[in-house]
Amino acid sequence: MSIGNSPEDERPFEDVSEEDRPSVSVGRALQQARIAAGLTVDDISTATRVRTAIVHAIERDDFAPCGGDVYARGHIRTLAKAVKLDPSPLLAQYEAQNGGGRPAPTPAAPLFEAERIRPERRGPNWTAAMVAAIVVVIGFVGFTMVNGGDDGEANVAGDTEPTASPTPSSAGKTAKPVVPAPEPSDSAIAAAPQDKVTVKVVAADGPSWISAKDHNGKMLYAGLLKKDEDKTFQDSSKIDLVLGDAGALDLFVNGKKIEDDWQPGAVERLTYTKGDPQAG
């Protein structure tokens, strides 16, 4: 007879391997990527048009403010692209943590119910009004001709219809030639006014997220600049820039190219003023 635990009680505890342990959460992964890119929540909100409150909630893994799984997955995909992450693993992790898989598709009818029952605003039916007016004119002319024939057919037979002669005012008028507006030249930035600062950003080697503010802190632009696209900004005294991937961009300040050895993927915060190019 053995004293102590039975063989079943002597089984070792189940070991949880490193692969089975939960990885970094979706919200934490998005937050770390944003911080690594040198971007604030306001920068991300401006670039993606996702409200700052929702960005904060998602980074805390609170997806309730998104309004449902469909919108939560859309926000995750948008935020991941803004911080240069592959959204597929994040979406798979979200679905695994929120119900064990992709939820049943939302019926199409409720999504479009409001659009179907919304009364269509109709403007005035000008076509019907024009047709009615033409009918009234034709009826009036016919009535006048019939009455005129009854009063004196001889006079109607002898009358001749007068021909309209062009008036002197209409004959003397000539159409004025249309002068086409001059197209802007490629060297317009070279002629930038010296009393202002002009900055041109060109995505020469690939796409990059950028933002630009004037001297008052007003956002002039924030978004993804695709390859071969460019943006030009001008202010009376100062332009503040944030470059998400400075190595992919060419910079021209007051008509002069900035020759800086920026590495691919480097985040740069720059300030330019009037005069010779000089990073603030």
Side-chain angles (χ1 to χ4, degrees), residues 80-177:
K81 291 181 179 179
V83 296
K84 297 183 179 180
L85 286 181
D86 183 5
S88 299
L90 297 178
L91 292 173
Q93 183 176 354
Y94 169 81
E95 292 171 358
Q97 294 175 353
N98 293 270
R102 181 178 295 274
T106 304
L111 292 177
F112 298 95
E113 186 69 21
E115 186 67 23
R116 185 171 65 250
I117 65 176
R118 183 180 302 162
E120 181 181 359
R121 294 184 179 179
R122 297 181 178 272
N125 193 339
W126 295 110
T127 303
M130 290 293 295
V131 172
I134 293 173
V135 171
V136 171
V137 172
I138 293 176
F140 177 78
V141 172
F143 178 79
T144 304
M145 292 180 63
V146 171
N147 287 344
D150 293 341
D151 292 340
E153 294 181 358
N155 290 335
V156 173
D159 290 341
T160 58
E161 183 179 358
T163 58
S165 58
T167 60
S169 59
S170 61
K173 291 182 179 180
T174 58
K176 294 182 178 181

Side-chain angles (χ1 to χ4, degrees), residues 23-80:
S23 59
V24 178
S25 65
V26 175
R28 181 62 175 168
L30 291 172
Q31 184 186 48
Q32 290 177 349
R34 173 180 62 76
I35 294 174
L39 304 175
T40 65
V41 172
D42 289 337
D43 293 336
I44 293 296
S45 177
T46 302
T48 63
R49 300 186 182 275
V50 177
R51 291 178 300 178
T52 56
I54 295 180
V55 177
H56 280 298
I58 291 176
E59 289 187 352
R60 296 193 303 268
D61 291 301
D62 179 10
F63 301 97
C66 296
D69 288 341
V70 175
Y71 299 101
R73 288 195 295 272
H75 289 328
I76 291 172
R77 184 179 293 106
T78 300
L79 297 180

